[in-house]
Structures are given as structure tokens and as C-alpha cells.
Amino acid sequence: MSRITLIDPAKATGRTSEQLAQIKGAFGMVPNMFKAAANSEAALTSMWGAFGALGAGRLGAKLGEQIAVAIADRNNCNYCLAAHTGLGRKAGATANEMSEAQAGRSADPRTAAALTFVLAVIDARAGIETADVEALRAAGFDDEEVVEIVAHIALNLFTNYLNVALDVPVDFPGVRLTRAAAA
């Protein structure tokens, strides 16, 4: 049970109501995570805006979702793992690609480099080495893409923390955390 009220979209007003309508249009429903964020118009605006901006970024939806599941697993976020696994499949990733990404791996060298970087940033709480960024460049990422990866990390930390801290009920098909099972 959620530790905060999940805002009923039918009762929302103003900008919050408008954004929840956009979210429903995008997902066909309003996921519980957005209902939780809707307690703060500023938080909802930040979250929804970041999803839109990064969704239109250079990394592409598939890599964005692979990054999201790696971070969700690392942070024991059942909600984000479930949501982003499904979204990754819709973005063209296979079930195996999403499972591998969840563990921070990929058969694609470029994706593998991105996931290695992401987990290094998470594990070191951003205290990475120059060599970590250079490994991304060696895999073909330019500075714009490096910054975009960091933006994906920040957005996913926000959503992971929101969902875990506030115990937001998962409303997507469940996916088993691997890090939690290994701990």
C-alpha cells in the first residue's frame, strides 16, 4: 500500500489534470507512479517533462529503457523494473536483451559500454574516473550522448526513489529483481 495518496486523475485540477490527461494518452492509463508524483505539480511537471525530453533524445528509446532496468535492478525498484521492461519490449528490445540489461550486460558493445558506465556512476555515487568517460567515447558516444546518459541516470534515480520510498503499488506485469535475489 502506498505511503501517500495516489491522486485520482478525475479529481485533479489545473496543470496537474492536463498532464495526467497527456500521460493517459501516452500509456492508455495513468500509471500509479504518476499518480504519486501528482501530489506535487512541480514534481509531476519535472518528471513528465524529463520523460518527454529524453524520449526525444539521441540515445533512442531502446537504450533508454535498457539503462532504466539496469538502474531499477541496482536500486531494488520493482515498479521501475516492471514498467521499463515492458516499455523496452515496446521499443524493440527482446526479452533476453532486457534481462541482460537488467544485469548490466549486453551483447552489443556500445550498449554494454553505456550500461557499464551507468552502473559505475550509480555504484560510485557519481565519483567516477576519467577512464569511465573515455570508455564511453571509445564505444562511439560523443559528449552530447554522455551528458544524455547522465540525464537518464538522474531521471531514473528520481523515479526509483519516488517508487521505493513511497511504496507505490506496481501496476505493470511484475519482473523479478536479480540484485535483490542475489543479496
Side-chain angles (χ1 to χ4, degrees), residues 67-102:
I67 289 169
V69 297
I71 296 170
D73 199 71
R74 203 57 135 219
N75 287 324
N76 296 328
C77 184
N78 286 299
Y79 192 99
C80 289
L81 182 58
H84 291 289
T85 297
L87 292 169
R89 296 297 311 275
K90 286 184 179 180
T94 66
N96 186 61
E97 286 174 318
M98 293 308 292
S99 179
E100 286 294 295
Q102 180 181 343

CSV table of all heavy atoms in Angstrom, one decimal, residues 67-102:
chain,number,residue,atom,x,y,z
A,67,ILE,N,18.9,1.2,-20.0
A,67,ILE,CA,19.5,2.0,-18.9
A,67,ILE,C,18.6,1.9,-17.6
A,67,ILE,O,19.0,1.7,-16.5
A,67,ILE,CB,19.8,3.4,-19.3
A,67,ILE,CG1,21.0,3.4,-20.3
A,67,ILE,CG2,20.1,4.3,-18.1
A,67,ILE,CD1,21.2,4.8,-21.0
A,68,ALA,N,17.3,2.2,-17.9
A,68,ALA,CA,16.3,2.2,-16.8
A,68,ALA,C,16.3,0.9,-16.0
A,68,ALA,O,16.2,0.9,-14.8
A,68,ALA,CB,15.0,2.6,-17.4
A,69,VAL,N,16.3,-0.2,-16.7
A,69,VAL,CA,16.2,-1.5,-16.0
A,69,VAL,C,17.4,-1.8,-15.2
A,69,VAL,O,17.4,-2.4,-14.1
A,69,VAL,CB,15.7,-2.7,-16.9
A,69,VAL,CG1,14.3,-2.5,-17.5
A,69,VAL,CG2,16.7,-3.0,-18.0
A,70,ALA,N,18.6,-1.4,-15.7
A,70,ALA,CA,19.8,-1.6,-15.0
A,70,ALA,C,19.8,-0.9,-13.7
A,70,ALA,O,20.2,-1.4,-12.6
A,70,ALA,CB,21.0,-1.2,-15.9
A,71,ILE,N,19.4,0.4,-13.8
A,71,ILE,CA,19.3,1.2,-12.6
A,71,ILE,C,18.2,0.7,-11.6
A,71,ILE,O,18.4,0.6,-10.4
A,71,ILE,CB,19.0,2.7,-13.0
A,71,ILE,CG1,20.2,3.2,-13.8
A,71,ILE,CG2,18.8,3.6,-11.7
A,71,ILE,CD1,19.9,4.6,-14.4
A,72,ALA,N,17.1,0.3,-12.1
A,72,ALA,CA,16.0,-0.2,-11.3
A,72,ALA,C,16.4,-1.4,-10.5
A,72,ALA,O,16.1,-1.5,-9.3
A,72,ALA,CB,14.7,-0.5,-12.1
A,73,ASP,N,17.1,-2.3,-11.2
A,73,ASP,CA,17.6,-3.5,-10.5
A,73,ASP,C,18.6,-3.2,-9.4
A,73,ASP,O,18.5,-3.7,-8.3
A,73,ASP,CB,18.2,-4.5,-11.5
A,73,ASP,CG,18.2,-5.9,-10.9
A,73,ASP,OD1,17.2,-6.5,-10.7
A,73,ASP,OD2,19.3,-6.4,-10.6
A,74,ARG,N,19.5,-2.2,-9.7
A,74,ARG,CA,20.5,-1.8,-8.8
A,74,ARG,C,19.9,-1.2,-7.5
A,74,ARG,O,20.4,-1.4,-6.4
A,74,ARG,CB,21.5,-0.9,-9.5
A,74,ARG,CG,22.8,-0.8,-8.8
A,74,ARG,CD,23.5,-2.1,-8.8
A,74,ARG,NE,24.9,-2.0,-9.2
A,74,ARG,CZ,25.5,-2.9,-10.0
A,74,ARG,NH1,24.8,-4.0,-10.4
A,74,ARG,NH2,26.7,-2.8,-10.3
A,75,ASN,N,18.8,-0.5,-7.7
A,75,ASN,CA,18.1,0.2,-6.6
A,75,ASN,C,16.9,-0.5,-6.0
A,75,ASN,O,16.2,0.0,-5.2
A,75,ASN,CB,17.6,1.6,-7.1
A,75,ASN,CG,18.8,2.6,-7.3
A,75,ASN,OD1,19.8,2.5,-6.5
A,75,ASN,ND2,18.7,3.4,-8.3
A,76,ASN,N,16.8,-1.8,-6.5
A,76,ASN,CA,15.7,-2.6,-5.9
A,76,ASN,C,14.3,-2.0,-6.1
A,76,ASN,O,13.5,-2.0,-5.3
A,76,ASN,CB,15.9,-3.0,-4.5
A,76,ASN,CG,17.1,-3.8,-4.3
A,76,ASN,OD1,17.5,-4.6,-5.1
A,76,ASN,ND2,17.8,-3.7,-3.2
A,77,CYS,N,14.1,-1.4,-7.3
A,77,CYS,CA,12.8,-0.7,-7.6
A,77,CYS,C,12.0,-1.6,-8.5
A,77,CYS,O,12.1,-1.7,-9.7
A,77,CYS,CB,13.1,0.6,-8.3
A,77,CYS,SG,11.5,1.5,-8.6
A,78,ASN,N,11.1,-2.4,-7.8
A,78,ASN,CA,10.2,-3.3,-8.5
A,78,ASN,C,9.3,-2.5,-9.6
A,78,ASN,O,9.1,-3.0,-10.6
A,78,ASN,CB,9.3,-4.0,-7.5
A,78,ASN,CG,10.0,-5.1,-6.8
A,78,ASN,OD1,10.5,-6.0,-7.3
A,78,ASN,ND2,10.1,-4.9,-5.5
A,79,TYR,N,8.9,-1.4,-9.2
A,79,TYR,CA,8.0,-0.6,-10.0
A,79,TYR,C,8.7,-0.3,-11.4
A,79,TYR,O,8.2,-0.6,-12.4
A,79,TYR,CB,7.5,0.7,-9.4
A,79,TYR,CG,6.4,1.3,-10.1
A,79,TYR,CD1,5.1,1.1,-9.7
A,79,TYR,CD2,6.6,2.1,-11.3
A,79,TYR,CE1,4.0,1.7,-10.4
A,79,TYR,CE2,5.5,2.6,-12.0
A,79,TYR,CZ,4.3,2.4,-11.6
A,79,TYR,OH,3.2,2.9,-12.3
A,80,CYS,N,9.8,0.4,-11.3
A,80,CYS,CA,10.5,0.8,-12.5
A,80,CYS,C,11.0,-0.4,-13.3
A,80,CYS,O,11.0,-0.4,-14.5
A,80,CYS,CB,11.7,1.7,-12.2
A,80,CYS,SG,11.1,3.4,-11.6
A,81,LEU,N,11.4,-1.5,-12.7
A,81,LEU,CA,11.8,-2.7,-13.4
A,81,LEU,C,10.7,-3.2,-14.2
A,81,LEU,O,10.8,-3.5,-15.4
A,81,LEU,CB,12.4,-3.7,-12.4
A,81,LEU,CG,12.9,-5.0,-13.1
A,81,LEU,CD1,14.0,-4.7,-14.1
A,81,LEU,CD2,13.3,-6.0,-12.0
A,82,ALA,N,9.5,-3.3,-13.6
A,82,ALA,CA,8.3,-3.8,-14.3
A,82,ALA,C,8.0,-2.9,-15.5
A,82,ALA,O,7.8,-3.3,-16.6
A,82,ALA,CB,7.2,-4.0,-13.4
A,83,ALA,N,7.9,-1.6,-15.2
A,83,ALA,CA,7.4,-0.6,-16.2
A,83,ALA,C,8.4,-0.5,-17.4
A,83,ALA,O,8.0,-0.6,-18.5
A,83,ALA,CB,7.2,0.8,-15.6
A,84,HIS,N,9.7,-0.4,-17.1
A,84,HIS,CA,10.7,-0.2,-18.1
A,84,HIS,C,11.0,-1.5,-18.9
A,84,HIS,O,11.4,-1.5,-20.1
A,84,HIS,CB,11.9,0.4,-17.6
A,84,HIS,CG,11.7,1.8,-17.2
A,84,HIS,ND1,11.5,2.8,-18.1
A,84,HIS,CD2,11.6,2.4,-16.0
A,84,HIS,CE1,11.3,4.0,-17.5
A,84,HIS,NE2,11.3,3.7,-16.2
A,85,THR,N,10.8,-2.7,-18.3
A,85,THR,CA,10.9,-3.9,-19.1
A,85,THR,C,9.9,-4.0,-20.2
A,85,THR,O,10.2,-4.3,-21.3
A,85,THR,CB,10.8,-5.1,-18.1
A,85,THR,OG1,11.9,-5.1,-17.2
A,85,THR,CG2,10.9,-6.4,-18.9
A,86,GLY,N,8.6,-3.6,-19.8
A,86,GLY,CA,7.6,-3.6,-20.8
A,86,GLY,C,7.8,-2.5,-21.9
A,86,GLY,O,7.6,-2.8,-23.1
A,87,LEU,N,8.2,-1.4,-21.4
A,87,LEU,CA,8.5,-0.3,-22.4
A,87,LEU,C,9.7,-0.6,-23.3
A,87,LEU,O,9.7,-0.3,-24.5
A,87,LEU,CB,8.8,1.0,-21.6
A,87,LEU,CG,7.5,1.6,-20.9
A,87,LEU,CD1,7.9,2.8,-20.0
A,87,LEU,CD2,6.5,2.1,-21.9
A,88,GLY,N,10.6,-1.3,-22.7
A,88,GLY,CA,11.8,-1.8,-23.6
A,88,GLY,C,11.4,-2.7,-24.6
A,88,GLY,O,11.8,-2.7,-25.8
A,89,ARG,N,10.5,-3.6,-24.3
A,89,ARG,CA,10.0,-4.6,-25.3
A,89,ARG,C,9.2,-3.8,-26.4
A,89,ARG,O,9.4,-4.1,-27.6
A,89,ARG,CB,9.0,-5.6,-24.7
A,89,ARG,CG,9.7,-6.5,-23.6
A,89,ARG,CD,10.8,-7.4,-24.3
A,89,ARG,NE,10.4,-8.1,-25.4
A,89,ARG,CZ,9.8,-9.3,-25.5
A,89,ARG,NH1,9.5,-9.9,-24.4
A,89,ARG,NH2,9.4,-9.8,-26.7
A,90,LYS,N,8.4,-2.8,-26.0
A,90,LYS,CA,7.7,-2.0,-27.0
A,90,LYS,C,8.7,-1.2,-27.9
A,90,LYS,O,8.4,-0.8,-29.0
A,90,LYS,CB,6.7,-1.0,-26.3
A,90,LYS,CG,5.5,-1.7,-25.8
A,90,LYS,CD,4.5,-0.7,-25.2
A,90,LYS,CE,3.3,-1.5,-24.7
A,90,LYS,NZ,2.3,-0.6,-24.1
A,91,ALA,N,9.9,-0.9,-27.3
A,91,ALA,CA,10.9,-0.1,-28.1
A,91,ALA,C,11.7,-1.0,-28.9
A,91,ALA,O,12.7,-0.5,-29.6
A,91,ALA,CB,11.8,0.7,-27.1
A,92,GLY,N,11.4,-2.3,-29.0
A,92,GLY,CA,12.1,-3.2,-29.9
A,92,GLY,C,13.2,-4.1,-29.3
A,92,GLY,O,13.8,-4.9,-30.0
A,93,ALA,N,13.3,-4.1,-28.0
A,93,ALA,CA,14.3,-5.0,-27.3
A,93,ALA,C,13.6,-6.3,-27.1
A,93,ALA,O,12.4,-6.4,-26.8
A,93,ALA,CB,14.7,-4.4,-25.9
A,94,THR,N,14.4,-7.4,-27.2
A,94,THR,CA,14.0,-8.7,-26.9
A,94,THR,C,13.9,-8.9,-25.4
A,94,THR,O,14.5,-8.2,-24.6
A,94,THR,CB,14.9,-9.8,-27.5
A,94,THR,OG1,16.1,-9.7,-26.9
A,94,THR,CG2,15.1,-9.6,-29.0
A,95,ALA,N,13.2,-10.0,-25.0
A,95,ALA,CA,13.1,-10.3,-23.6
A,95,ALA,C,14.5,-10.6,-23.1
A,95,ALA,O,14.9,-10.1,-22.0
A,95,ALA,CB,12.2,-11.5,-23.4
A,96,ASN,N,15.4,-11.2,-23.9
A,96,ASN,CA,16.7,-11.5,-23.4
A,96,ASN,C,17.6,-10.2,-23.3
A,96,ASN,O,18.3,-10.1,-22.4
A,96,ASN,CB,17.4,-12.5,-24.4
A,96,ASN,CG,18.8,-12.9,-23.9
A,96,ASN,OD1,18.9,-13.5,-22.8
A,96,ASN,ND2,19.8,-12.5,-24.7
A,97,GLU,N,17.4,-9.3,-24.3
A,97,GLU,CA,18.1,-8.0,-24.2
A,97,GLU,C,17.7,-7.3,-22.9
A,97,GLU,O,18.6,-6.7,-22.2
A,97,GLU,CB,17.8,-7.2,-25.4
A,97,GLU,CG,18.6,-7.6,-26.6
A,97,GLU,CD,18.1,-6.8,-27.9
A,97,GLU,OE1,16.9,-6.6,-28.1
A,97,GLU,OE2,19.1,-6.5,-28.7
A,98,MET,N,16.5,-7.3,-22.5
A,98,MET,CA,16.1,-6.6,-21.3
A,98,MET,C,16.6,-7.3,-20.1
A,98,MET,O,17.0,-6.6,-19.1
A,98,MET,CB,14.5,-6.4,-21.3
A,98,MET,CG,14.0,-5.5,-22.4
A,98,MET,SD,14.8,-3.9,-22.5
A,98,MET,CE,14.3,-3.1,-20.9
A,99,SER,N,16.6,-8.6,-20.1
A,99,SER,CA,17.1,-9.4,-19.0
A,99,SER,C,18.6,-9.1,-18.8
A,99,SER,O,19.1,-8.9,-17.7
A,99,SER,CB,16.8,-10.9,-19.2
A,99,SER,OG,17.3,-11.6,-18.1
A,100,GLU,N,19.3,-9.1,-19.9
A,100,GLU,CA,20.7,-8.8,-19.8
A,100,GLU,C,21.0,-7.4,-19.4
A,100,GLU,O,21.9,-7.2,-18.6
A,100,GLU,CB,21.4,-9.1,-21.2
A,100,GLU,CG,21.5,-10.6,-21.5
A,100,GLU,CD,22.5,-11.3,-20.6
A,100,GLU,OE1,23.7,-10.9,-20.7
A,100,GLU,OE2,22.1,-12.1,-19.9
A,101,ALA,N,20.2,-6.5,-19.9
A,101,ALA,CA,20.4,-5.1,-19.4
A,101,ALA,C,20.1,-4.9,-18.0
A,101,ALA,O,20.8,-4.2,-17.3
A,101,ALA,CB,19.5,-4.2,-20.3
A,102,GLN,N,19.1,-5.6,-17.5
A,102,GLN,CA,18.8,-5.6,-16.0
A,102,GLN,C,20.1,-6.0,-15.2
A,102,GLN,O,20.3,-5.4,-14.2
A,102,GLN,CB,17.7,-6.6,-15.7
A,102,GLN,CG,17.3,-6.6,-14.3
A,102,GLN,CD,16.2,-7.6,-14.0
A,102,GLN,OE1,15.5,-8.0,-15.0
A,102,GLN,NE2,16.0,-8.0,-12.8
